Amino acid sequence: MPLASLLALFVFNAILVCAAVYDVRHYRIPNLAPALLAVAGLVLAAPDSLGEALSRTGSLALVGLIAGALWVRGLLGGGDLKLLAGCAVGG
């Protein structure tokens, strides 16, 4: 695995841990956390073709729909939805 991918993987996991700790302490997740997750995820798994990019877009939409439905029913928090979407970008 290239060094950039290892670094992105470390950053991806560090962001998740920091977001979880912040959420436990303050009951909220900063908007920066999912944005950074999306960037790290794209570095980790950059799509190689248009088909792969479309597939990931579909996956992100599906995760968003399911998480959004759970959020509407009160079974999932908005921060959780943001983190799931940030993670889904990386595929």
Side-chain angles (χ1 to χ4, degrees), residues 9-31:
L9 183 62
F10 175 78
V11 169
F12 190 87
N13 287 310
I15 294 166
L16 280 175
V17 168
C18 289
V21 169
Y22 194 90
D23 189 26
V24 167
R25 288 185 179 171
H26 303 283
Y27 293 102
R28 73 179 288 276
I29 296 172
N31 290 331

Side-chain angles (χ1 to χ4, degrees), residues 2-89:
L3 182 59
S5 292
L6 285 174
L7 181 60
L9 183 62
F10 175 78
V11 169
F12 190 87
N13 287 310
I15 294 166
L16 280 175
V17 168
C18 289
V21 169
Y22 194 90
D23 189 26
V24 167
R25 288 185 179 171
H26 303 283
Y27 293 102
R28 73 179 288 276
I29 296 172
N31 290 331
L32 184 60
L36 292 175
L37 280 173
V39 170
L42 286 173
V43 170
L44 270 172
D48 294 330
S49 67
L50 179 60
E52 187 177 349
L54 291 174
S55 174
R56 291 198 184 169
T57 302
S59 296
L60 175 60
L62 184 60
V63 166
L65 285 172
I66 293 170
L70 292 172
W71 175 74
V72 166
R73 292 180 173 260
L75 301 173
L76 193 69
D80 300 316
L81 191 148
K82 291 188 298 187
L83 282 180
L84 281 170
C87 289
V89 169

